[in-house]
Amino acid sequence: MSNVTISDVAKKVGVSESTVSRFLSGFKVRNADVINQAIKDLDYRPNIVARNLKSGKTGLIAVVVPDITNPFFASIVRGAEVAAGDEFMIQLINTGDDLDKESWALRRMVGRVDGMIYVPLQENSSAVDELDNRSLPMVFVDRVIEKNKNLDSVLADNFRGGELAARHLVEHGHSRIAHIGGPISSTPGKARARGFVETLRALKVDLPSQFVVESDFTTLGGYQATMALLALKSRPTALFVANNLMTIGALKALKEKGISVPQEMAIIGFDDHELSDLVDPPLTVISRDAHLQGALAMQTLLEKIRGGNQFPPKQLKVDVNLVVRGSCGSTCRYRNSKTSEFPKTLSASSRSK
Amino acid sequence: MSNVTISDVAKKVGVSESTVSRFLSGFKVRNADVINQAIKDLDYRPNIVARNLKSGKTGLIAVVVPDITNPFFASIVRGAEVAAGDEFMIQLINTGDDLDKESWALRRMVGRVDGMIYVPLQENSSAVDELDNRSLPMVFVDRVIEKNKNLDSVLADNFRGGELAARHLVEHGHSRIAHIGGPISSTPGKARARGFVETLRALKVDLPSQFVVESDFTTLGGYQATMALLALKSRPTALFVANNLMTIGALKALKEKGISVPQEMAIIGFDDHELSDLVDPPLTVISRDAHLQGALAMQTLLEKIRGGNQFPPKQLKVDVNLVVRGSCGSTCRYRNSKTSEFPKTLSASSRSK
DNA sequence: CTCATCGCTAAAAACGATTGCAGATAACTT
DNA sequence: AAGTTATCTGCAATCGTTTTTAGCGATGAG
C-alpha cells in the first residue's frame, strides 16, 4: 500500500507537512536535500486524490465515443491522447449507440473529469442538459447536438465529402447513382447526404427518391440497404456509402449477389482504411484525418480549460479528400497497380470555419 | 459549477451533514423526503473526489495497451469496458511501443486507479517494478512479463495458433514455408513462432533459418520482412504472418511485387478482421475472440479487487481457431465464394490452463 | 540600537465527503 | 407512566493534501 503520507516524511525529517508540500511544489526550502532523501527512503508518493480534492481538478478528460472498435473513433481517441500531453489522461466511454447509456455516462462525468470530448449519438439529443450549464468544458467531435451547435466542435467537411463523391461518380459516366446514408438525425449522416443530393441536382442528374436510403452506420445496415437497392426493378449503377462500416456491409452484399465491382456497380466509401487498397477491387473513398480531428479537439478543449471561458467557442472543420483507387472503374486502367501505398504520408490540413 | 455541497443541503433542510450523507447511503432517515426535495432543488451532486479520498477507491480501471488503433486492442478494451458494468470506468493509456512512456504511465497509475489491465510491451521488462509490490491489482492480457508471469493473465493459445497455421499450410502441400514473427521478446511473438517451428519439425518439414524472420508487429515491419523473403535466392511458397498489421504489410509487399496469392505465395495471417474476406483473395487467418479476452481480464480483475488477494492468481487462455478462406489456395475451389459471412456469430470458448 | 525587510517556517484552516461515538428521540414492554 | 430498547441524530474526527496566516531569526539601513 501507498500508506506513507506527507506527514510521515515530515516527521522523519523533523519539519512540518507544509514544508514538505512546499518542497514538492518546487519552492526553495532549507533542508531540501534531506527531505528529498526521506522521500526516496520511504518511497513516498503524493496521494493524487487528496491533491485533486484540494485543487478541484482531476487530470482526466472524458472521451465519449459510440464505439472504439470502429477504427475511425479509435483514431480520434488516439489523436486526442497524443495532444493531451503529460497533464491530462483519457477516460474512455463507449456509448454503443445506446441513448440511455449515453446520458447515464454524461451525468456521471460531472466532477469526475476536467473536460469532455464528445461524439454525440443524435443531433436532436438533449443529453447535454444532464450537465450543469457551464460546469464542464466540452468539445464536440465529428457530430454535434443541434441545440448546442454554437459550442466548440471539430467536424469534417462532410458536405464537401458528399459533393466530391457525387462529382466523381458523375465524371465516370454514371447517371443512376444511389446513396446509402447514415441516420439523418446525425451530423455527418445529414451533411454527407446533402452534399451528395445538392451536387447531383446542380449537375442535373436525376435522383429517384428510392435511391437515397437512410441507414444506421453499421455493417448490417449497409448490407441490408444494399440488398434493398439491388432488389429495385431498375438498379443504380453506382453507390456512395456514407461511412466505413456500411461500406463493408455493401461490399459483402455485392459479393454475395455476385455483382462485379466496378463493372456492374461502382462504389465509393467514406473513411479510409489500411486494407482499403487490398480489397477487390481497391476501394475508392472519401477520407479525412481522424487523428487530426481528435488532436484538434483536445487542443481546443485544453485552451478552454486553461483560459476559462474567455474565448468564444470555435467551430473547426478538417478537410476531406478523394482517394481514387479502382472501385469506381476506368481510372484503374490508368493507375499503376504496382504502386505501393506504403508508407503513407499523413497530412491533412485544417481550417477555421 | 457544482458548487453546492452536502453542507448546503444540510443547512437548507436544517439537519446535520451526516444525516444527509446517511440518506445518500441509503440509511433510514427521519426527513427523507424533504432532504430529497432539497437535493433536487439545489441540484446537488456529491463530490466524487472527496468521496474517493475518504473511501480510498477511485472507481477507475486503467487499461494499458500499445495502440488503440489496432482493432485487436480496441476489441480488448471494449470487452473490458462491457464487463466492468456500472461500478468502474476505463482509463485508457496507449504506450505506443515506447518503453519510457510505458513505465511513466505505470508509475502514474498508483493511487489513480483501483486496478489495471495491462498489455506489456516486452516480456523481459521490469516496468511492473514501478508499482509498489502488492498495491495495484493487475491482470495481464495477451502478453505477460516473464518475471511476473505467475500473476493473473488472459492469453490466447498462441502456440496452438502457430501449430494450426503450420499444419494448414503443410496440408496444402507446401514444404517451403516462412514465418514472419513478432518480437521474440513478446509473449505472442515467441509462442506463435514456437508453435510454428515445432510443428514443422514434428511434420519433418525442413525449415531454413532465413525463413524465420523476427519483425515488430507493425505494417511496415511486415512489409520489409516480406520484401526480404522475396529477395532470397530460393523463395518460400507460403507465409505465416504472426499478426494483423504485419499481414497487411505482407500483402502490400506481395501486391507491389505483382506476386499472385495463393498461386505464387500462400499466406495465412493471425487475427481476423471484418475486411479479411473482402481482400483479394479472401484471407485465411488464425482468429481468437479479443472481446472475450478483454472481458475475462476485467472479470478476473474485479474478483481480485473485491476479494482481496485471497484467491491464487489464475492464468487463462482463450481458444484460437482456423478460419479458412482463399489465401492458402486449393480450398477456395471447394468453397462457395458467394456464402456471406454476415452476420457473423461470435463465439469463442475459454478454458482454464 | 531600533526598526523594517527578507526568507523561510510551523500551525491551522480549508477541500467535501464518511463514520464512530454518545446522546436524543421514538417505539415498545409491562 | 415508567423502564427498556431500538432508531435515529449531531458532533467531531478523519482521509491526505494545499494554502493562508502569523511568526521567527537573520540581515541591513538609518
Side-chain angles (χ1 to χ4, degrees):
Chain A
M1 287 291 280
S2 188
N3 255 341
V4 39
T5 77
I6 201 174
S7 142
D8 297 324
V9 178
K11 221 164 290 171
K12 169 152 188 165
V13 178
V15 294
S16 78
E17 307 176 11
S18 23
T19 302
V20 180
S21 172
R22 297 166 60 86
F23 167 78
L24 288 171
S25 330
F27 281 68
K28 249 206 167 67
V29 159
R30 264 199 272 280
N31 0 24
D33 35 4
V34 42
I35 293 182
N36 200 11
Q37 190 57 47
I39 288 178
K40 287 218 177 75
D41 290 350
L42 298 173
D43 192 24
Y44 163 73
R45 326 225 182 155
N47 181 316
I48 321 288
V49 179
R51 191 175 275 181
N52 289 345
L53 173 59
K54 196 66 180 120
S55 68
K57 305 272 155 205
T58 64
L60 284 174
I61 302 288
V63 180
V64 181
V65 299
D67 181 7
I68 190 70
T69 62
N70 183 331
F72 162 65
F73 294 125
S75 289
I76 286 191
V77 173
R78 192 77 164 93
E81 194 204 35
V82 169
D86 282 6
E87 195 180 348
F88 290 99
M89 309 200 80
I90 302 295
Q91 178 168 351
L92 178 71
I93 294 108
N94 288 285
T95 51
D97 292 322
D98 175 348
L99 290 170
D100 291 335
K101 166 132 202 229
E102 182 181 42
S103 48
W104 172 83
L106 256 58
R107 183 172 22 237
R108 241 174 168 233
M109 285 309 99
V110 178
R112 293 186 127 90
V113 297
D114 296 336
M116 180 164 76
I117 289 179
Y118 176 31
V119 182
L121 291 172
Q122 296 193 350
E123 286 220 313
N124 57 354
S125 161
S126 58
V128 171
D129 303 349
E130 301 288 354
L131 283 39
D132 311 306
N133 246 1
R134 286 279 143 197
S135 115
L136 192 58
M138 188 181 69
V139 176
F140 289 120
V141 184
D142 192 49
R143 312 182 186 173
V144 299
I145 288 180
E146 185 63 25
K147 66 204 247 195
N148 306 104
K149 74 165 151 199
N150 53 329
L151 301 180
D152 297 76
S153 60
V154 182
L155 305 181
D157 196 344
N158 292 305
F159 184 93
R160 176 140 178 83
E163 179 188 341
L164 284 177
R167 211 170 276 279
H168 185 67
L169 290 170
V170 169
E171 279 166 6
H172 278 68
H174 291 280
S175 58
R176 305 187 50 76
I177 311 177
H179 174 54
I180 299 179
I184 211 68
S185 63
S186 77
T187 310
K190 183 160 64 182
R192 288 167 199 172
R194 269 195 32 237
F196 173 78
V197 171
E198 291 186 15
T199 303
L200 285 194
R201 183 171 316 146
L203 296 175
K204 316 272 189 231
V205 175
D206 187 48
L207 180 61
S209 63
Q210 322 97 293
F211 276 16
V212 178
V213 185
E214 179 181 357
S215 184
D216 62 357
F217 281 150
T218 70
T219 309
L220 178 57
Y223 172 87
Q224 291 170 334
T226 307
M227 283 306 198
L229 285 169
L230 293 178
L232 291 177
K233 31 263 152 255
S234 68
R235 287 180 179 174
T237 63
L239 221 48
F240 165 45
V241 190
N243 89 328
N244 50 5
L245 297 183
M246 293 194 301
T247 304
I248 294 177
L251 289 172
K252 294 202 182 199
L254 292 173
K255 185 174 184 185
E256 184 176 326
K257 285 290 185 186
I259 293 175
S260 67
V261 178
Q263 291 77 16
E264 296 175 76
M265 181 75 78
I267 181 167
I268 179 169
F270 203 110
D271 270 330
D272 207 359
H273 188 276
E274 260 197 312
L275 278 171
S276 294
D277 65 320
L278 294 172
V279 308
D280 177 30
L283 201 57
T284 293
V285 296
I286 306 293
S287 85
R288 39 79 190 256
D289 190 338
H291 188 96
L292 175 66
Q293 259 183 287
L296 286 174
M298 180 58 79
Q299 220 169 287
T300 308
L301 184 62
L302 293 187
E303 282 171 16
K304 254 179 110 67
I305 291 176
R306 293 185 177 129
N309 277 348
Q310 58 178 307
F311 304 116
K314 50 183 176 180
Q315 284 88 36
L316 299 179
K317 272 190 189 175
V318 302
D319 289 339
V320 298
N321 54 321
L322 177 65
V323 180
V324 179
R325 298 199 182 96
S327 65
C328 295
S330 64
T331 37
C332 62
R333 282 185 231 136
Y334 309 115
R335 196 166 161 277
N336 176 7
S337 73
K338 296 203 176 173
T339 300
S340 169
E341 298 203 359
F342 188 88
K344 190 157 113 190
T345 48
L346 285 174
S347 75
S349 66
S350 73
R351 60 168 201 270
S352 192
K353 186 186 188 177
Chain B
M1 287 289 281
S2 187
N3 255 342
V4 38
T5 78
I6 200 173
S7 141
D8 297 324
V9 178
K11 221 164 291 172
K12 169 149 188 168
V13 178
V15 294
S16 78
E17 307 177 11
S18 22
T19 302
V20 180
S21 170
R22 273 188 282 255
F23 167 78
L24 289 170
S25 337
F27 282 68
K28 252 209 163 63
V29 157
R30 267 199 270 280
N31 5 22
D33 35 1
V34 41
I35 293 183
N36 200 10
Q37 190 56 48
I39 288 178
K40 287 219 177 74
D41 290 351
L42 298 173
D43 193 24
Y44 163 74
R45 327 227 180 155
N47 181 318
I48 322 289
V49 179
R51 192 175 273 180
N52 290 345
L53 173 59
K54 196 69 177 107
S55 68
K57 305 271 155 205
T58 65
L60 285 174
I61 302 289
V63 180
V64 181
V65 298
D67 182 8
I68 190 70
T69 62
N70 182 330
F72 163 64
F73 294 124
S75 288
I76 286 190
V77 172
R78 192 76 165 93
E81 194 204 35
V82 169
D86 282 5
E87 196 179 348
F88 291 99
M89 308 200 81
I90 302 295
Q91 179 169 349
L92 178 71
I93 295 108
N94 288 286
T95 51
D97 292 322
D98 176 348
L99 290 171
D100 290 336
K101 166 128 201 233
E102 183 182 40
S103 48
W104 172 83
L106 257 57
R107 184 173 19 241
R108 235 168 171 237
M109 284 310 100
V110 178
R112 293 186 128 89
V113 296
D114 295 337
M116 180 164 74
I117 290 178
Y118 176 31
V119 182
L121 291 172
Q122 297 192 349
E123 287 220 312
N124 57 355
S125 161
S126 59
V128 172
D129 303 351
E130 302 287 355
L131 282 39
D132 312 307
N133 246 0
R134 286 277 143 195
S135 114
L136 192 58
M138 188 181 69
V139 176
F140 289 121
V141 184
D142 193 49
R143 313 182 185 174
V144 299
I145 289 181
E146 184 63 26
K147 67 204 250 196
N148 306 103
K149 74 163 147 197
N150 54 328
L151 301 179
D152 296 76
S153 60
V154 181
L155 304 181
D157 197 344
N158 292 304
F159 184 93
R160 176 140 178 82
E163 180 188 341
L164 284 176
R167 211 170 276 278
H168 184 68
L169 290 170
V170 169
E171 280 167 5
H172 279 68
H174 291 280
S175 58
R176 306 188 49 78
I177 310 176
H179 174 54
I180 299 180
I184 210 68
S185 63
S186 77
T187 310
K190 183 159 67 182
R192 287 167 200 173
R194 268 195 33 235
F196 173 79
V197 169
E198 291 185 17
T199 302
L200 285 193
R201 183 172 314 145
L203 296 174
K204 316 271 190 230
V205 175
D206 187 48
L207 180 61
S209 64
Q210 320 98 296
F211 276 17
V212 177
V213 185
E214 179 181 355
S215 184
D216 62 358
F217 281 150
T218 70
T219 308
L220 178 57
Y223 172 87
Q224 291 169 334
T226 306
M227 283 305 198
L229 285 169
L230 294 177
L232 291 177
K233 31 263 150 255
S234 68
R235 285 181 180 175
T237 63
L239 220 49
F240 166 44
V241 190
N243 89 329
N244 50 3
L245 296 183
M246 292 194 302
T247 304
I248 294 177
L251 289 172
K252 294 201 180 199
L254 292 173
K255 185 174 185 185
E256 183 175 327
K257 285 290 186 186
I259 294 175
S260 67
V261 178
Q263 291 77 18
E264 295 174 77
M265 181 74 78
I267 182 167
I268 179 169
F270 205 109
D271 271 330
D272 206 359
H273 187 276
E274 260 197 311
L275 277 171
S276 294
D277 64 321
L278 294 172
V279 308
D280 178 31
L283 200 56
T284 294
V285 295
I286 306 294
S287 85
R288 40 77 190 255
D289 190 338
H291 188 96
L292 176 66
Q293 260 183 285
L296 286 174
M298 180 58 79
Q299 221 169 287
T300 308
L301 184 62
L302 293 187
E303 282 171 16
K304 255 178 112 67
I305 292 177
R306 293 187 177 128
N309 277 348
Q310 57 177 307
F311 304 116
K314 50 183 177 181
Q315 284 88 36
L316 298 179
K317 271 190 189 176
V318 301
D319 289 339
V320 298
N321 55 318
L322 177 65
V323 180
V324 179
R325 297 198 182 97
S327 65
C328 296
S330 63
T331 38
C332 61
R333 282 185 231 132
Y334 309 115
R335 195 167 161 277
N336 177 7
S337 72
K338 295 201 177 171
T339 299
S340 170
E341 299 203 359
F342 187 88
K344 192 157 111 190
T345 48
L346 284 174
S347 75
S349 67
S350 72
R351 59 167 201 268
S352 191
K353 187 185 187 177

